Amino acid sequence: MGGSARSEIFASLRKTGRGETQENVQRERLSLGSAPAPEPPATEVCEAFILNVLKNQGSVDCVSNRSEAVQAIAHYLYAHFHNYRLVTGNDSRLGAMPWRDAGVLPRFGSLEAGEPVALSYARLGVVETGAVVTWTGKATPAANNFLPKHHIVLVDKNDLVLTMEKAWERIHHAFEKTGRARGINFIAGPSSTADIEAELVYGAHGPHRWHVVLLGDVPVDARNIASAAGSDQT
Amino acid sequence: MEQRRDTFIDNASAALKNLKQAERRDIIASFAPQIRAAAIDSFEGFGDLRSHVKKIRQHSLDNLDYYLSQFEKEAVHNGNQVHFARDGEELNSVVLDICQQHDARRVAKGKSIVTEETGLNSFLQSAGLSVMETDVGEYIVQQAGEKPSHIVTPVLHKSADEIRELFQEKHDLGPRDLHNTSDLVVEACNVLREHFLQAEVGIIGANALIAENGYCMLVTNEGNGDLCANLPKVLIVCTTIDRVLPRAEDATAMSRLLARSATGQPQSCYTSFYSGPRREGELDGPLETHFVLLDNERSNTLASNYREILECIRCGACLNHCPIYTSVGGHAYDSVYPGPMGSVLTPLLTSLEQSHLLPNACTSCGLCEEVCPADIPLPDLLRDLRHDESTKKLSAPRWRYGLKLHSWLARHPSTYQALTAISIGILYRLGRKRGGFSKLPFGSGWTSQREFPAPQEGTFMKLYKAEIKQNNGR
């Protein structure tokens, strides 16, 4: 069945297709160029990214180094759960964090029942949408993105890109070395639904809190925007 | 796709009498256009983006054989099995075969309009499988034994009270009263979480397929589609052949249009790309993945004058702005695809003989085309379908003869003006004292609902000519 269905469908498509050569099709696509992207809400990259994360109902902490990152995550955990436990993937960058300094007790692996918090280390942050990008693998089990009640995501300032087109450039470049991942996830906020009477509810199937920790030399104005929003510690 | 579109008028009449549902439709009719307008106003280049994506979609469809073949090659390279299905029956059989090969008993489904089109749920259930819709709205609709009434917000027709009663009937709630909307969402998600964890097969749809790398794009806000794609050991992606785009950046360009037009967001919470089974060292993800690509009249539509409907990105903006849809709701159409896009697509997927009333569910106001992010000339396509309906003599004879008479008069303006002058003169004389008519010959469609106002003396053309004459005389 499959073989003949395929043959019939392609035969039908060839009748309507232009029958162009591969080179001509690719040349035509190239001539169409790239899509226009929206202007960022601020000229400074970190500021624009933070503003869009906040717009997506995320919360943000800005930290200068890994030690501060661990402290910020510890504060977040204690503020919400009165403990210092979380789950994270087998990411070498996360394995090398000074967790003990802040008393954080990470479990490296995939989220299991009863574990409310997971931490992911994003590959990219997209300024245009305020999204973080992860791809599946040992370092980022998919369950850690989609099953916890609280999802904390660490993003390097150096991994911020302006648009989704720039994100794809980076993704393709990374996959040239490692091969394609099974899944790529652009995450722009906590899980939500407005299916019942158009009332927006956060925390549908996935996280109801989404907390971004921006790591690097973040300008003061951007830090001020994040701390003024400051809802992450409550 | 089993449909009975000949019931549209009866369904619409019944819907207009359901005032509670009408209130909820009023909410979407005022709320959805506002959030869409705000999202688009804040993106100066939206018009340019719309034109760009239109060109990409046209280019993709012009070269669909090339891009579909490229997608297949790349998807297989990523470790997927790719199947083709000429019609809904074939898609359903392919999916059932896969489920049976794995002795699956439970299926978790993400939102997929394509599998609504093929009737996959009932097909799998009749083979003994437990199939659970996991989108909150779709789950509610499934539990109620109903059909979605909107392609984006499927349970728009139900109130929170009705959903609470449904859960009280179907779930073991104990002392919980599910007072708030969030309680209802949590209740649905708790039930579904168990199903996610137990399902052997996950089924999702796709917003786009990417030829250059063999991925599918999945856009959701709830994350249920991602759970279907990642937790069960087998993943089946069901979509149609016309969803292919050349590049990954084309898919995200389309998502810029989609999220703003559907929900007023710059990006939905989860925009994910999947292709292939779990890689070495991964802790989760499916062990086997399949794409099932459905034609079901798409290739014939591509060869027809209606090919532009294949550029639809399923955002629902045309539904939210349509005065017919927002008055009668999605169930009146008795089709998986309601509203303006559905009134074009349904006759093409079924037959004009079965669905010829739907293209008449149109006031020709043009709003659907104005708000369509894919820039599809929906009013033109609907008009052309009505023309086909008339040519095939599917409409009522008196309607066809009336249109022919109108067409002849429109081509003979002197006769038209003379006849309207006589009619207006009579109506003016008869109605000037009472101000209107409660009954008129051939006008019962109007007068059954409201009084027909008596015209003023003289036709527009008579007044216009007098004005010209007066101006020339100055």
Side-chain angles (χ1 to χ4, degrees):
Chain A
M1 180 178 66
S4 63
R6 184 189 182 284
S7 310
E8 265 189 42
I9 290 168
F10 272 98
S12 183
L13 293 179
R14 274 185 212 108
K15 278 186 209 161
T16 55
R18 289 188 189 161
E20 292 285 1
T21 62
Q22 180 180 335
E23 290 73 26
N24 284 347
V25 175
Q26 288 178 349
R27 194 179 304 124
E28 188 182 315
R29 171 60 195 88
L30 199 63
S31 73
L32 297 175
S34 283
E39 288 292 319
T43 47
E44 200 282 314
V45 169
C46 295
E47 209 172 304
F49 177 69
I50 291 166
L51 284 168
N52 279 337
V53 169
L54 295 172
K55 201 172 167 186
N56 293 338
Q57 302 301 314
S59 50
V60 186
D61 268 332
C62 298
V63 296
S64 303
N65 52 48
R66 294 186 307 167
S67 182
E68 278 184 29
V70 169
Q71 294 293 339
I73 290 166
H75 282 135
Y76 182 92
L77 291 171
Y78 193 78
H80 290 280
F81 300 98
H82 292 286
N83 67 44
Y84 296 104
R85 285 193 287 273
L86 55 73
V87 178
T88 187
N90 291 307
D91 188 321
S92 56
R93 297 174 298 174
L94 290 169
M97 302 277 274
W99 297 112
R100 282 186 184 177
D101 295 355
V104 176
L105 301 167
R107 186 179 72 73
F108 293 92
S110 182
L111 193 94
E112 290 176 3
E115 294 180 311
V117 193
L119 169 69
S120 305
Y121 208 137
R123 304 287 183 160
L124 300 167
V126 186
V127 172
E128 171 193 342
T129 55
V132 296
V133 183
T134 65
W135 47 83
T136 55
K138 200 166 64 171
T140 316
N144 293 5
N145 284 346
F146 299 109
L147 282 176
K149 284 186 173 152
H150 289 230
H151 187 208
I152 306 174
V153 189
L154 198 56
V155 192
D156 278 342
K157 182 201 163 187
N158 293 337
D159 289 329
L160 294 184
V161 292
L162 277 177
T163 63
M164 292 193 278
E165 283 76 8
K166 293 286 175 199
W168 279 116
E169 280 177 24
R170 292 275 296 266
I171 293 166
H172 288 146
H173 181 68
F175 287 179
E176 278 171 19
K177 293 177 190 162
T178 62
R180 291 174 190 152
R182 174 180 66 80
I184 306 158
N185 303 113
F186 287 63
I187 301 170
S191 157
S192 67
T193 181
D195 272 353
I196 300 176
E197 292 194 345
E199 187 180 330
L200 190 58
V201 175
Y202 290 101
H205 293 284
H208 70 90
R209 295 293 299 260
W210 181 62
H211 183 58
V212 174
V213 181
L214 184 58
L215 170 62
D217 184 18
V218 180
V220 175
D221 286 351
R223 283 172 177 263
N224 289 342
I225 290 169
S227 51
S231 56
D232 54 290
Q233 303 296 316
T234 55
Chain B
M1 191 161 77
E2 192 184 326
Q3 306 290 346
R4 297 187 313 280
R5 263 79 40 190
D6 56 345
T7 56
F8 177 77
I9 290 173
D10 291 341
N11 294 345
S13 300
L16 287 170
K17 287 173 190 152
N18 188 332
L19 297 180
K20 285 194 171 176
Q21 285 192 4
E23 273 176 30
R24 283 190 292 285
R25 289 194 291 271
D26 285 346
I27 292 171
I28 198 95
S30 59
F31 177 65
Q34 279 180 40
I35 56 171
R36 174 197 164 274
I40 287 165
D41 287 349
S42 64
F43 181 5
E44 207 177 312
F46 189 85
D48 293 338
L49 174 65
R50 187 191 192 207
S51 305
H52 173 82
V53 175
K54 172 99 182 162
K55 285 179 196 156
I56 297 288
R57 292 287 280 150
Q58 284 175 336
H59 166 78
S60 311
L61 292 172
D62 285 345
N63 302 286
L64 189 55
D65 54 337
Y66 170 76
Y67 283 122
L68 193 61
S69 174
Q70 191 189 11
F71 170 79
E72 182 190 17
K73 185 179 148 205
E74 294 299 329
V76 169
H77 173 79
N78 294 341
N80 300 282
Q81 296 176 47
V82 180
H83 313 261
F84 289 86
R86 281 168 289 210
D87 53 30
E89 211 174 301
E90 280 193 354
L91 180 140
N92 293 348
S93 298
V94 169
V95 173
L96 179 61
D97 280 350
I98 297 166
C99 292
Q100 288 176 337
Q101 281 165 24
H102 293 273
D103 294 323
R105 289 190 302 150
R106 295 181 198 84
V107 175
K109 264 188 84 217
K111 195 168 171 182
S112 156
I113 314 176
V114 170
T115 57
E116 295 272 357
E117 180 185 322
T118 68
L120 178 65
N121 284 11
S122 54
F123 185 79
L124 295 180
Q125 283 163 343
S126 65
L129 279 87
S130 163
V131 183
M132 193 80 93
E133 291 288 350
T134 60
D135 173 90
V136 170
E138 294 277 350
Y139 170 73
I140 294 164
V141 165
Q142 187 188 28
Q143 291 301 300
E146 296 172 353
K147 300 277 183 195
S149 59
H150 191 286
I151 59 172
V152 177
T153 50
V155 72
L156 176 68
H157 57 283
K158 273 191 142 29
S159 68
D161 286 341
E162 287 168 325
I163 295 165
R164 190 173 297 111
E165 282 168 23
L166 178 72
F167 285 177
Q168 280 163 352
E169 184 195 331
K170 302 272 180 182
H171 296 182
D172 182 13
L173 293 180
R176 290 173 295 148
D177 63 358
L178 307 182
H179 184 66
N180 301 316
T181 302
S182 58
D183 299 333
L184 294 168
V185 171
V186 169
E187 172 63 20
C189 292
N190 283 343
V191 170
L192 289 168
R193 176 65 63 101
E194 285 306 305
H195 196 78
F196 276 126
L197 297 172
Q198 291 172 358
E200 297 95 352
V201 174
I203 296 177
I204 58 170
N207 297 85
L209 301 172
I210 301 167
E212 70 171 344
N213 58 20
Y215 283 83
C216 64
M217 178 171 78
L218 176 70
V219 180
T220 74
N221 276 314
E222 294 182 11
N224 64 304
D226 292 285
L227 294 177
C228 290
N230 286 292
L231 298 184
K233 64 179 180 182
V234 179
L235 170 65
I236 307 173
V237 183
C238 296
T239 190
T240 52
I241 56 172
D242 53 320
R243 298 291 102 190
V244 188
L245 292 170
R247 297 178 176 179
E249 67 174 70
D250 298 333
T252 40
M254 192 184 87
S255 77
R256 282 188 188 119
L257 291 176
L258 176 64
R260 287 175 172 84
S261 301
T263 55
Q265 296 166 284
Q267 181 171 352
S268 299
C269 297
Y270 301 108
T271 304
S272 299
F273 300 84
Y274 293 108
S275 192
R278 188 184 300 193
R279 308 289 195 254
E280 196 181 339
E282 266 191 78
L283 298 172
D284 55 14
L287 300 170
E288 191 175 300
T289 54
H290 299 259
F291 282 101
V292 189
L293 307 178
L294 175 71
D295 182 342
N296 201 27
E297 297 297 326
R298 267 81 179 178
S299 54
N300 287 334
T301 302
L302 191 64
S304 76
N305 294 329
Y306 298 103
R307 63 183 288 158
E308 280 178 279
I309 194 62
L310 300 177
E311 295 164 17
C312 173
I313 63 171
R314 310 285 191 266
C315 67
C318 65
L319 279 65
N320 300 339
H321 290 76
C322 174
I324 303 285
Y325 176 87
T326 53
S327 297
V328 302
H331 286 158
Y333 294 78
D334 201 9
S335 169
V336 172
Y337 303 99
M341 54 76 64
S343 295
V344 176
L345 193 57
T346 307
L348 301 172
L349 299 185
T350 56
S351 70
L352 196 57
E353 283 75 10
Q354 276 180 284
S355 314
H356 66 94
L357 281 182
L358 296 185
N360 291 283
C362 172
T363 64
S364 300
C365 70
L367 256 182
C368 52
E369 181 177 9
E370 200 178 310
V371 301
C372 174
D375 199 14
I376 300 170
L378 288 160
D380 291 351
L381 299 181
L382 288 165
R383 186 202 56 222
D384 291 349
L385 282 166
R386 291 196 294 271
H387 181 75
D388 289 353
E389 179 200 26
S390 188
T391 308
K392 287 185 170 183
K393 298 185 176 173
L394 297 169
S395 47
R398 65 172 184 166
W399 184 251
R400 289 203 308 279
Y401 296 135
L403 282 174
K404 273 188 183 169
L405 177 64
H406 185 268
S407 163
W408 187 88
L409 285 171
R411 282 177 279 123
H412 298 82
S414 304
T415 314
Y416 182 86
Q417 285 164 25
L419 284 173
T420 49
I422 292 167
S423 310
I424 294 294
I426 293 170
L427 288 173
Y428 166 70
R429 281 186 200 93
L430 291 174
R432 63 184 159 183
K433 284 188 181 163
R434 49 187 164 170
F437 301 90
S438 56
K439 276 186 181 173
L440 272 179
F442 308 112
S444 62
W446 179 292
T447 54
S448 65
Q449 300 295 322
R450 60 189 88 76
E451 198 168 70
F452 188 85
Q456 65 180 62
E457 189 180 14
T459 62
F460 169 79
M461 286 306 294
K462 188 179 170 186
L463 296 171
Y464 177 67
K465 282 176 184 170
E467 179 85 10
I468 297 281
K469 199 173 173 183
Q470 194 181 348
N471 288 344
N472 289 342
R474 277 179 190 164

